[in-house]
């Protein structure tokens, strides 16, 4: 049978498991509706609601991110929205960042979970601010052509699903893009988030990639990034199987329901609600990291 | 290049690999949870697990729920690796040397995750 170790959560093993399934399902559902990935909600929920060590929460989040983004990337590849060459170029940096972040977490910070919690706070706040902005307009700056992007043929075109016309875009800013990708990867391996919420606006603003393509390409890259990190946690013993299995199955179910049920989700309300949740989570995690909150 | 995906192109190959990998992992995790729930052994949720690759085949043959869960997680984590490997092969065969090198670098990073993760 499956039981929680120690007395946290609701006290009864069965109720704990039900709460875990419900919270993970909600994280997958809301993450997919808002397009921000579930890790951002899952890690705070796991440490605050269940008092889990942050390493276990990060590992569970990374494994579930691999599952949800691989499923989502599969659909977007078929729809032709993923720029494979651009993704495989940038994921050299995200994967390296993911590996580095995870290594720091399981070695230097192995017994300093409070420092990881402290580092999570600004990431949650920045994500909440980005979410608060809502759907941002496309930003294409006039930038000089990028020789590396030309040489690697990173530019592309896609068929706009609304107008039906084929739109070309020219990729620039490979250096800036790689830097942002590396930082997003580092945050992913260190803190168990996907990092898409930072990478997508950066790809749009600095690399001239349309948001739809940036989002789909980022989703594909996150699988490799989260996997590079998760493998490190797996070998360090932080992948608690009895935790990860229900979390992954619930997050995947939540994300599947969000994508396949044609329901008019109240996106704006939901976004406001989750910004509120993130603000509260950031405050509680800060108190926890400082030892004020047990 | 993206744009209109060509049937049989790399986009579709990768999409298949990802879908099959995730579906296999989900089935294994579900089976593992059912086996764990049915067994008399206790699986504490909040405690770390060390996955021993060496003893996995024997535990699987014994129908251990934990071993099925470990296999499910492993399948999930090697799914992105499989798609990078497939891309590497396609780039190599089509003579796209820059992208064969880029994908080889990502494979190296994933190999380092295994190597450094196992012996930090």
């Amino acid at each position: 049978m499956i039981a929680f170790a120690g007395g946290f959560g609701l006290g009864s093993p069965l109720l704990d498991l039900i709460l875990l399934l419900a919270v993970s399902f909600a994280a997958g559902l809301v993450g997919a509706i808002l397009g921000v990935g579930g890790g951002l909600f899952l890690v705070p929920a796991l440490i605050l609601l269940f008092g889990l060590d942050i390493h276990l929460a990060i590992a569970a989040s990374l494994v579930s991110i691999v599952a949800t983004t691989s499923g989502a990337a599969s659909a977007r590849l078929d729809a032709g929205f993923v720029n494979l060459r651009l993704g495989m170029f940038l994921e050299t940096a995200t994967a390296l960042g993911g590996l580095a972040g995870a290594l720091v977490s399981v070695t230097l910070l192995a017994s300093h979970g409070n420092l990881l919690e402290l580092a999570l706070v600004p990431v949650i706040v920045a994500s909440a601010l980005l979410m608060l902005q809502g759907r941002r307009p496309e930003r294409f700056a006039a930038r000089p052509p990028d020789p590396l992007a030309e040489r690697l043929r990173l530019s592309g075109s896609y068929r706009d699903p609304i107008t039906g016309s084929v739109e070309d875009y020219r990729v620039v800013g490979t250096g800036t893009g790689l830097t942002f990708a590396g930082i997003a990867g580092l945050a992913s391996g260190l803190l168990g988030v996907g990092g898409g919420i930072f990478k997508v606006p950066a790809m749009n603003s600095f690399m001239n990639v349309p948001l739809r393509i940036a989002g789909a390409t980022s989703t594909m890259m996150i699988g490799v990034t989260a996997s590079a990190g998760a493998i490190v946690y797996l070998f360090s013993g932080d992948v608690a199987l009895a935790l990860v299995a229900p979390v992954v199955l619930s997050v995947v179910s939540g994300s599947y329901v969000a994508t396949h049920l044609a329901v008019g989700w109240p996106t704006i309300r939901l976004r406001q609600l989750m910004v509120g949740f993130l603000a509260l989570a950031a405050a509680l995690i800060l108190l926890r990291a400082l030892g004020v909150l047990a | 290049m993206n744009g209109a995906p060509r049937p049989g192109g790399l986009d579709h190959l990768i999409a298949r690999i990802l879908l099959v990998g995730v579906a296999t992992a989900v089935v294994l995790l579900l089976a593992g949870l059912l086996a764990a729930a049915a067994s008399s052994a206790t699986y504490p949720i909040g405690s770390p697990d060390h996955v021993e690759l060496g003893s996995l085949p024997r535990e699987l043959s014994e129908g251990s729920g934990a071993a099925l869960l470990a296999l499910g997680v492993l399948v999930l984590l090697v799914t992105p690796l499989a798609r990078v490997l497939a891309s590497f092969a396609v780039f190599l065969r089509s003579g796209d040397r820059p992208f064969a090198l880029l994908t080889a670098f990502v494979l190296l990073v994933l190999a380092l995750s295994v190597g450094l993760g196992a012996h930090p």
Side-chain angles (χ1 to χ4, degrees):
Chain A
M1 69 173 275
I2 294 176
F4 272 91
F8 50 79
L10 298 176
S12 139
L14 185 63
L15 286 180
D16 279 343
L17 186 62
I18 291 170
L19 181 65
L20 182 70
L21 292 171
V23 165
S24 310
F25 182 85
L29 184 83
V30 173
I33 294 171
L34 299 183
V36 293
L40 189 58
F41 308 126
L42 197 58
V43 176
L46 287 180
I47 56 180
L48 289 172
L49 285 177
F50 300 100
L52 285 173
D53 175 68
I54 189 168
H55 293 89
L56 299 187
I58 292 169
S61 174
L62 285 177
V63 178
S64 61
I65 286 173
V66 174
T68 51
T69 57
S70 296
S74 176
R76 289 176 196 186
L77 278 158
D78 278 335
F81 291 136
V82 175
N83 183 334
L84 275 182
R85 298 178 74 86
L86 178 64
M88 289 180 185
F89 170 70
L90 288 178
E91 75 191 12
T92 54
T94 62
L96 197 60
L99 167 64
L103 281 176
V104 169
S105 171
V106 304
T107 55
L108 296 177
L109 301 177
S111 49
H112 296 91
N114 58 332
L115 288 182
L116 284 173
E117 290 171 2
L118 216 50
L120 185 60
V121 172
V123 170
I124 295 178
V125 171
S127 306
L129 290 176
L130 282 171
M131 274 175 64
L132 206 56
Q133 280 188 352
R135 213 179 161 71
R136 53 196 295 286
E138 300 264 5
R139 266 179 217 159
F140 298 111
R143 286 168 200 280
D146 185 317
L148 186 61
E150 301 301 318
R151 195 170 120 68
L152 294 177
R153 290 185 285 127
L154 299 184
S155 297
S157 58
Y158 73 107
R159 187 177 292 279
D160 190 302
I162 299 161
T163 63
S165 62
V166 175
E167 308 281 346
D168 293 322
Y169 56 94
R170 170 155 294 201
V171 172
V172 294
T174 44
T176 318
L178 275 182
T179 309
F180 269 94
I183 294 170
L186 197 65
S188 173
L190 196 62
L191 302 169
V193 296
I197 198 164
F198 304 116
K199 218 163 38 192
V200 173
M203 285 166 78
N204 183 232
S205 301
F206 302 113
M207 303 188 78
N208 277 357
V209 181
L211 279 174
R212 183 181 294 275
I213 306 299
T217 306
S218 162
T219 301
M220 186 197 73
M221 289 153 61
I222 288 173
V224 160
T225 315
S227 184
I231 290 170
V232 173
Y233 286 97
L234 179 74
F235 283 110
S236 74
D238 289 314
V239 174
L241 294 173
L243 169 74
V244 167
V247 166
V248 168
L249 291 174
S250 295
V251 172
V252 167
S253 312
S255 148
Y256 185 87
V257 166
T259 326
H260 288 81
L261 281 193
V263 177
W265 302 104
T267 315
I268 296 174
R269 271 289 154 72
L270 196 61
R271 193 188 299 134
Q272 290 167 344
L273 185 73
M274 294 322 286
V275 168
F277 164 79
L278 289 177
L280 180 68
L284 291 176
I285 291 171
L286 184 63
L287 292 178
R288 204 177 124 101
L290 296 175
V292 180
L293 200 75
Chain B
M1 204 72 59
N2 54 318
R6 294 152 287 128
L10 187 54
D11 308 64
H12 287 285
L13 175 65
I14 292 179
R16 281 305 149 271
I17 292 174
L18 294 180
L19 202 60
V20 169
V22 173
T24 309
V26 162
V27 169
L28 286 169
L29 290 177
L30 207 53
L33 272 186
L34 291 177
S39 81
S40 54
T42 306
Y43 296 94
I45 278 183
S47 72
D49 277 303
H50 280 276
V51 174
E52 298 290 342
L53 294 182
S55 56
L56 205 52
R58 181 181 50 79
E59 289 174 24
L60 280 172
S61 68
E62 289 165 0
S64 149
L68 277 170
L69 295 181
L71 187 65
V73 170
L74 283 174
V75 167
L76 198 53
L77 296 188
V78 300
T79 296
L81 193 147
R83 86 80 178 142
V84 181
L85 199 61
S87 313
F88 170 71
V90 168
F91 287 129
L92 202 64
R93 209 176 44 190
S94 64
D96 192 336
R97 206 176 299 167
F99 270 84
L101 280 173
L102 285 174
T103 42
F105 177 81
V106 176
L107 286 174
L108 178 73
V109 171
L110 290 169
L112 279 176
S113 291
V114 176
L116 295 175
H119 311 281

